[in-house]
Amino acid sequence: MSAFIEVDDLKFDYIKQDGTSLRAVDGISFRIERGSFTAIIGQNGSGKSTLAKNINALLLPTEGRILVDGLDTADPASLWEIRRRVAMVFQNPDNQIVSSIVEDDIAFGPENLGVDPAEIRQRVRFALKDVEMEEYRRKAPHLLSGGQKQRIAIAGAVAMEPQCIVFDEPTAMLDPRGRSEVLKVIERLHDKGITTILITHFMEEAARADHVIVMNKGRLEMDGTPTEIFSRQDRLKELSLDVPAPIYLARILGERGVDLPPGIETTEELVRCLCQLQ
Amino acid sequence: MSITVKDLTHIYSPGQPQEQVALDQISFRIEDGTFAGLIGHTGSGKSTLVQHLNGLLKPTSGTILLGDTDITKAGTASRQARLKTGLVFQYPEYQLFEETVAKDVAFGPNNLGLSPEETDARVREALQLVGLDYEELKNVSPFELSGGQKRRVAIAGVIAMKPEILILDEPTAGLNPKAHRDILDMVRGIHESTGNITLMVSHNMNDIARMCDQVLVMDHGRLLMDGSPEEVFRRGEELKEVGLALPDSMEIARQIIEGGLALEGTFLTMEETADAIAAALQAK
């Protein structure tokens, strides 16, 4: 695999109104492989969203360097190309939907890129298929459910034909069905080869990634597979984080004398082990 | 103060082509001192319902009693009663606007025409209830606080109105796991110290199962269920049909039972589920 994103000693300062600066990201380095699925977790204010906005050049490094598909985000000539290759989806779909008809909304991005109308129509069709919203193409977005609106926002990103999508807490405002619909779409896009970055406060969402980055106070605290990260329950707790439900249950079962093999991560594994124990 | 809602119907844009029945003949009662939860998919009518409880919306038909007062009627008594309901919106920190924490929390009490001393006392008390230090933060700009702290200040602004019914719309949305737990502990603390009704709107089934005495389930403007968490979450299939889910502790227990290990209990928390599993394995 080759690196799609290379972050090298990134530092980022916000300038406050009184002129003083606040360091939000403090010297972090990591790589994200092409086609991988990376989750970024960390407490509120740990620098996750700042990092994400640096990745698609909405913010530029104060110090250090980010290469996206080999392009330096600090190079003004690369800016538009980087933003075309890396799309973002935010927490609140209402802030991202611009048109009063679903298909117009999805066409908005490619239209701005000057894409040929015939191709726009095709992209809109494919994007709606990817998010399973084809039958809603003529509907008004404000009449859709939260999960449906978020899927429209995702389709808008997909229509840009990006190589990477950064999802910044895309399920935080959704009901249970909306969350599972959106997660399914994210996994499908990853399966289609899109480099996927998911910022989340839901540990079970992070467990689905193949790579987890843990941020703490602007620094990179951990970087590994979900198995490696979620085996460090005590440290995660100190960082105001948590572990997915089945991992937590396996631990408190251990405290109750139930002898389980190490490394249980999913509900399926836990159920299988318990039903064999009896 | 109890809440009694009877045959509440709300129709948006009546007589217009876009007419929509948002609430359809809703009736329920919440006794004083209850910690109640309100769940339902997006667009099920939860927000429309809570906006009726403090008079932001008027029903198309039906009555709402707070204590013995019908707040759907015009008049002073009705207005007074409506002031007894404090509503904390989603992401309340976006509504902070004052220069200092103390001024922001004091905004509501000031509008009630209270004396400066009384206002100050309420600000201190409210900040204490939300777990913030008055002396440390009174002169700090609310915009310099962390996300979790901002949310506490915003909630303090509502508490300072001394509501007898506190409604919180998704109080934990967008918070990290620790801040999430801390806010829930705070809400429980406020509930226990005031002894009033707390009504929490949430998409998080784990929180609803753990916190609530009574759970109301909305679907397409109708009240689908009204009962204890045990009663409501026993109907998992119906909940899934209306876009909801079981708490993790119950979903895992369900799958274990399906896998052939007989468990007994209510499984409202992960600890209860663990106890049930340990007991079932020991019995073998």
Side-chain angles (χ1 to χ4, degrees), chain A residues 43-44 91 175 177 248 256, chain B residues 42 91 176 241 260 271 275:
Chain A
Q43 56 185 300
N44 301 98
Q91 190 177 101
D175 59 33
R177 180 182 291 163
Y248 177 72
R256 285 161 175 75
Chain B
T42 330
Y91 297 86
N176 67 57
E241 277 166 28
E271 283 67 24
D275 289 340

